[in-house]
Amino acid sequence: MANIKSAKKRILVTQTRTARNKSIRSAVKTAIKKVEAAIAANDKAAAQTALSAAISEISKATSKGVYHQNNAARKISHLTKAVNKLA
């Protein structure tokens, strides 16, 4: 355990940021799973609505610095490609 006051503060800040990032990542993963579930069910309408929600979540996470811009773009691209393949 840290003895220096500033180190103790850094630990608290790190814990706060970690919890926030974990929450945001979890929301993104849930949104992605919803899109994938709709794709598996072969439901194009549900997949498209889930996709727009997922893109929104991913974009929010990127703007908050949780995901790198290229990582977010890759996730969005994969999901969009999968939804567009549905007949």
Side-chain angles (χ1 to χ4, degrees), residues 29-69:
K29 285 180 188 175
T30 303
I32 289 172
K33 283 179 190 170
K34 284 181 182 174
V35 175
E36 289 171 347
I39 291 169
N42 213 12
D43 187 356
K44 187 160 180 126
Q48 285 178 330
T49 55
L51 175 66
S52 63
I55 289 173
S56 174
E57 283 293 331
I58 294 168
S59 299
K60 283 182 202 170
T62 307
S63 69
K64 291 174 182 172
V66 177
Y67 285 117
H68 189 274
Q69 202 167 2

Side-chain angles (χ1 to χ4, degrees), residues 58 67-80:
I58 294 168
Y67 285 117
H68 189 274
Q69 202 167 2
N70 291 354
N71 187 356
R74 187 176 67 244
K75 286 179 187 298
I76 291 170
S77 175
H78 284 297
L79 289 175
T80 307

Side-chain angles (χ1 to χ4, degrees), residues 1-5 7-9 11-12 15:
M1 185 65 192
N3 292 323
I4 298 166
K5 190 174 183 181
K8 289 179 183 177
K9 285 182 182 178
I11 289 169
L12 290 174
Q15 286 175 343

